Amino acid sequence: MEHKHQYDSNGKQLCCSPQEEKIDKNANKLLKEEKHSSEDGHSHGHSDDDGHDHGSTDKTTFEMFLPAIISLTILLAGIGMDNFFPQQWFTGWVRIVWYAAAYAPVGLPVLKEAYESIMKGDVFSEFFLMSIATIGAFIIGEYPEGVAVMLFYAVGEVFQTLAVTRAKSNIKALLDQRPDEVTILENNTPKTIKAKEAKIGDIIQLKSGEKLALDGELISDSASFNTAALTGESKPDTKNKGEVVLAGMINLQTVAQIKITTAYEDSKLSKILELVQNATSQKAPTELFIRKFARIYTPIVVVLAILICVVPYFFVDNYIFRDWLYRALIFLVISCPCALVISIPLGYFGGIGAASRNGILFKGSNFLDKIAEIQNVVMDKTGTMTEGVFEVQEVNINPAFDKTELLQMVNTLESNSTHPVATAIHQYVGEINQSLNFQNVEEIAGHGLKANVKGDELLVGNFKLMDKFNVNYDINPADIIYTVIAIAYQGKFAGYITIADSIKEDAKLTVEKLHNLNVKATMLSGDKGTVVKYVAQQLGIDNAFGDLLPEDKVNKVKEIKSKNESVAFVGDGVNDAPVVALSDVGIAMGGLGSDATIETADVVIQDDRPSKIPMAINIGKKTKQIVWQNIILAFVVKAIVLVLGAGGLATMWEAVFADVGVALLAILNAVRIQKMKF
């Protein structure tokens, strides 16, 4: 039997490193495809399949730095013999060969990359710029500077690789959340098989410390699970018999048995992995601009460098080719767009990684930009700001009707619905009376249910349903704070049931944080107006509207957008699909509970905590801030040194700082977001 990972209560792997085990083949294929695309943080204007990969390496950090260490050692020895410990033999071809030896470990890989890029039709790559600049330095006899430029460039490349690898660690950790094998019970005998071979209906035996590979239903009496892989929260979650458990959850206590209910590739974790893997395919406008800019900018720079070298011949009296060629080479080194095209995608990738670590999944870096600019958060009530767990508060039935019989009819009719209200009624009334025979059952959107039973019409819903069918009632619904389920039978008002939902513990803090971000909060709900306003007052929400049909919600969002204000809508992503489509950013709460939320929303909050909404906005704002800091840093420093270089006031050492130095500063700035607490 093959080795299976073991985990502690915090989700930390106790045995081998995740990097030592193979990653699931399909997910690994996605990761490899992503590594060859520009979102690996290092496109530099060359083709996406050029093989230049910052994100994948099996080498240790020492092995990655070894060529640079060898080059630096030989270079320092050469500089020492040139300036501090002169040697008579260190001249002519010996000196050239010595510095060539220093150049080879760091320069040959870049020359190879330049050649391969040219063969693929991408001439003006960073490798080409570095190659002609350093070879040019050798031609004019500036051997130490030629080596130094390539050496610092190689060191920068290693730091870039390490930075991208770190940025991808969250995805790699997620990929390892899905075990390769499961132990199933065949005739009560444990048997280990590949997870992909497990079928719906099989019984999984999950030992303490093992991670579940497929979604299923708990058939043991109870079990406690760590859900950190899915929600970002390590707090144990106790499940009871019959409840849903999801792939990626870690069993914390005794052996549990789970009946598989979903195919391996259709599990919630599979969908989340696919979402995160593809997150960088949707680029932010800033990132798209920089990519296009680099493709145009680099050829222009090469032409300008040639002009710097040649044009002065016609205007300068004491023209010395070597001096102007040196200036042109400095110009080329300075102008390499490394800092921009590395740090900007890396910044966005870091933002997506920081969000996923906190249980927030962005479907693309463009949504990080959009959410940073959000001015209004429009939210649903039930399941978003409230627990979505209703309990019956009061049952008021007209004495003219048999209360027990009427409640049984209501309970049986509502059993066709998955709405939390139906669940509350079922918990209150008890078992469903299967002997009742309903005909012409009809759900009226935004109103309730209608059916015929025992030859008479039964209506169960809100008071708009009563008005629709001209049922007279002698109470004022506005006087009742709670959600009210009105009942009519035989064309007469039979009474009502009140149901209450509790507010989530972090809901009030959520609204306070939104206000601190200068974001207005609006609540839209199909629930009773008095209930919606009561909840809104408790939370400090700016505007609240109840008794809304789906089209009413759309109209309310349109009103906000007509003021040229951006809107994020937070809901379940299913019933509110029209509003999600209309909003600038659609946020799904409780994404693990519904496949449709993962499909329709732009941002998925994996647990039900509304406090993740302002956190997502904060991550978007901080990501955008870091990206613009890098853009300004790169442009300002390069512009200054370019002018100095063209005027002969900057040497190759300043050029190295303007290129590799600024790139490293930008990378260090970009990875900061991964350490931030939101």
Side-chain angles (χ1 to χ4, degrees):
M1 186 174 71
E2 294 185 31
H3 169 72
K4 296 180 74 174
H5 296 323
Q6 296 292 318
Y7 305 86
D8 64 17
S9 61
N10 292 319
K12 183 178 179 181
Q13 196 165 304
L14 297 174
C15 49
C16 54
S17 165
Q19 313 314 327
E20 295 171 356
E21 295 293 325
K22 73 168 188 175
I23 297 173
D24 174 88
K25 288 182 181 178
N26 290 335
N28 197 28
K29 182 184 175 188
L30 282 170
L31 188 59
K32 285 179 180 176
E33 288 172 355
E34 177 194 296
K35 287 172 181 174
H36 284 287
S37 69
S38 58
E39 60 263 22
D40 72 353
H42 201 59
S43 65
H44 294 276
H46 55 278
S47 67
D48 291 341
D49 59 349
D50 62 10
H52 184 59
D53 181 7
H54 286 303
S56 62
T57 177
D58 295 325
K59 296 179 180 178
T60 64
T61 303
F62 176 76
E63 288 173 330
M64 292 167 68
F65 277 107
L66 184 59
I69 294 170
I70 294 171
S71 177
L72 178 62
T73 303
I74 300 173
L75 173 63
L76 291 177
I79 292 174
M81 287 186 286
D82 269 340
N83 300 287
F84 304 105
F85 314 105
Q87 304 292 321
Q88 290 183 351
W89 57 268
F90 192 64
T91 58
W93 285 105
V94 174
R95 184 168 179 265
I96 294 173
V97 170
W98 186 277
Y99 282 115
Y103 182 87
V106 290
L108 291 180
V110 177
L111 294 176
K112 180 185 174 186
E113 294 277 14
Y115 173 76
E116 291 177 352
S117 294
I118 292 170
M119 289 298 99
K120 293 176 182 177
D122 185 17
V123 177
F124 298 106
S125 65
E126 65 173 290
F127 315 114
F128 177 71
L129 293 182
M130 285 293 134
S131 298
I132 60 175
T134 53
I135 291 172
F138 265 75
I139 290 172
I140 63 175
E142 299 289 349
Y143 311 125
E145 292 188 8
V147 174
V149 168
M150 195 60 84
L151 170 61
F152 284 114
Y153 175 75
V155 171
E157 288 284 285
V158 175
F159 277 112
Q160 291 155 24
T161 301
L162 294 174
V164 174
T165 302
R166 179 170 182 173
K168 290 189 175 183
S169 62
N170 289 309
I171 289 180
K172 289 184 179 180
L174 270 176
L175 293 176
D176 195 58
Q177 302 305 328
R178 199 164 38 176
D180 289 330
E181 306 102 19
V182 291
T183 301
I184 63 169
L185 294 177
E186 277 191 2
N187 301 320
N188 290 324
T189 302
K191 178 184 177 183
T192 300
I193 63 172
K194 294 291 184 183
K196 289 183 179 179
E197 297 172 3
K199 301 184 293 293
I200 294 175
D202 285 348
I203 305 298
I204 293 177
Q205 179 177 277
L206 195 68
K207 298 177 183 177
S208 177
E210 287 185 342
K211 193 169 290 188
L212 187 61
L214 300 94
D215 295 351
E217 175 187 324
L218 185 66
I219 57 176
S220 301
D221 290 335
S222 67
S224 185
F225 294 90
N226 176 292
T227 64
L230 303 170
T231 64
E233 298 294 329
S234 58
K235 182 180 177 181
D237 185 7
T238 300
K239 301 287 186 181
N240 296 314
K241 185 175 182 178
E243 288 193 87
V244 173
V245 285
L246 302 172
M249 292 184 175
I250 303 169
N251 184 17
L252 296 179
Q253 296 177 344
T254 56
V255 176
Q257 293 184 359
I258 295 106
K259 183 170 74 174
I260 299 172
T261 57
T262 308
Y264 181 79
E265 62 272 11
D266 294 329
S267 70
K268 298 296 187 301
L269 184 57
S270 294
K271 292 179 182 294
I272 290 169
L273 295 181
E274 184 180 355
L275 186 156
V276 177
Q277 285 286 359
N278 296 328
T280 47
S281 62
Q282 296 191 58
K283 302 291 184 186
T286 311
E287 197 171 352
L288 290 172
F289 169 76
I290 291 299
R291 290 177 67 188
K292 292 176 182 176
F293 171 80
R295 291 184 182 275
I296 299 168
Y297 165 84
T298 309
I300 291 174
V301 160
V302 173
V303 173
L304 289 175
I306 294 171
L307 293 176
I308 287 173
C309 181
V310 175
V311 171
Y313 174 79
F314 301 100
F315 300 98
V316 178
D317 292 333
N318 298 319
Y319 176 81
I320 301 174
F321 175 76
R322 182 189 179 282
D323 291 347
W324 287 98
L325 176 60
Y326 184 66
R327 294 186 188 187
L329 296 176
I330 291 171
F331 187 85
L332 282 179
V333 174
I334 298 165
S335 61
C336 186
C338 294
L340 291 173
V341 293
I342 297 168
S343 64
I344 291 171
L346 186 59
Y348 282 113
F349 200 96
I352 291 172
S356 64
R357 192 173 64 249
N358 285 284
I360 305 167
L361 302 181
F362 280 86
K363 283 193 174 179
S365 54
N366 53 330
F367 298 116
L368 279 166
D369 265 6
K370 285 185 177 181
I371 205 167
E373 302 298 325
I374 286 299
Q375 297 165 286
N376 295 271
V377 169
V378 178
M379 59 196 72
D380 193 17
K381 179 182 74 70
T382 307
T384 300
M385 304 305 282
T386 63
E387 294 290 352
V389 180
F390 288 85
E391 291 183 357
V392 171
Q393 304 296 312
E394 179 188 5
V395 177
N396 193 321
I397 301 296
N398 190 321
F401 294 88
D402 185 322
K403 180 178 178 180
T404 303
E405 181 184 32
L406 189 65
L407 288 177
Q408 284 186 342
M409 288 192 289
V410 171
N411 187 30
T412 305
L413 179 60
E414 288 282 359
S415 67
N416 296 311
S417 173
T418 57
H419 195 280
V421 166
T423 305
I425 292 173
H426 174 63
Q427 289 179 341
Y428 179 81
V429 177
E431 291 298 317
I432 295 168
N433 188 346
Q434 301 292 349
S435 64
L436 291 172
N437 186 22
F438 286 85
Q439 294 91 32
N440 304 322
V441 177
E442 180 185 354
E443 183 173 356
I444 302 169
H447 292 76
L449 296 168
K450 168 181 171 292
N452 290 326
V453 59
K454 295 184 178 181
D456 291 303
E457 185 179 75
L458 174 67
L459 300 172
V460 180
N462 54 32
F463 281 93
K464 287 189 288 186
L465 183 67
M466 304 295 109
D467 296 334
K468 183 178 179 69
F469 287 91
N470 299 314
V471 175
N472 295 319
Y473 45 88
D474 55 0
I475 64 170
N476 182 7
D479 292 338
I480 306 172
I481 292 178
Y482 299 132
T483 299
V484 181
I485 307 301
I487 306 165
Y489 187 53
Q490 299 173 338
K492 298 177 182 177
F493 181 66
Y496 62 88
I497 302 171
T498 62
I499 295 176
D501 184 14
S502 58
I503 296 171
K504 290 183 178 179
E505 61 180 2
D506 61 338
K508 188 174 178 63
L509 179 63
T510 298
V511 178
E512 290 176 1
K513 287 184 175 180
L514 288 174
H515 287 157
N516 290 338
L517 292 168
N518 294 319
V519 176
K520 287 176 279 188
T522 301
M523 181 178 285
L524 304 180
S525 177
D527 206 348
K528 185 181 173 187
T530 52
V531 177
V532 176
K533 288 184 179 178
Y534 173 75
V535 172
Q537 287 173 355
Q538 294 291 106
L539 300 179
I541 289 174
D542 304 296
N543 298 297
F545 304 91
D547 299 309
L548 299 178
L549 298 173
E551 55 265 33
D552 297 327
K553 292 183 180 181
V554 170
N555 291 332
K556 290 291 183 186
V557 172
K558 282 182 178 178
E559 281 181 28
I560 298 172
K561 288 180 71 70
S562 67
K563 302 173 186 175
N564 292 321
E565 294 184 6
S566 55
V567 178
F569 181 82
V570 190
D572 58 20
V574 183
N575 300 329
D576 297 312
V579 196
V580 170
L582 180 64
S583 61
D584 297 289
V585 179
I587 304 175
M589 292 290 289
L592 296 180
S594 170
D595 292 342
T597 57
I598 296 177
E599 299 295 332
T600 59
D602 305 317
V603 180
V604 179
I605 293 175
Q606 295 182 65
D607 53 19
D608 286 331
R609 294 176 59 190
S611 56
K612 296 290 179 71
I613 302 168
M615 182 185 291
I617 295 173
N618 260 323
I619 291 172
K621 285 181 179 293
K622 185 55 67 176
T623 301
K624 192 169 184 179
Q625 180 185 1
I626 285 174
V627 165
W628 277 102
Q629 285 173 354
N630 285 346
I631 290 173
I632 294 168
L633 172 70
F635 272 116
V636 169
V637 174
K638 282 184 181 291
I640 293 170
V641 185
L642 276 172
V643 172
L644 294 175
L649 299 175
T651 68
M652 200 69 83
W653 300 105
E654 282 85 359
V656 168
F657 171 73
D659 174 39
V660 180
V662 171
L664 289 176
L665 288 175
I667 289 166
L668 292 172
N669 192 36
V671 299
R672 279 195 308 127
I673 194 168
Q674 297 171 56
K675 289 189 174 182
M676 292 180 180
K677 292 185 178 180
F678 296 96

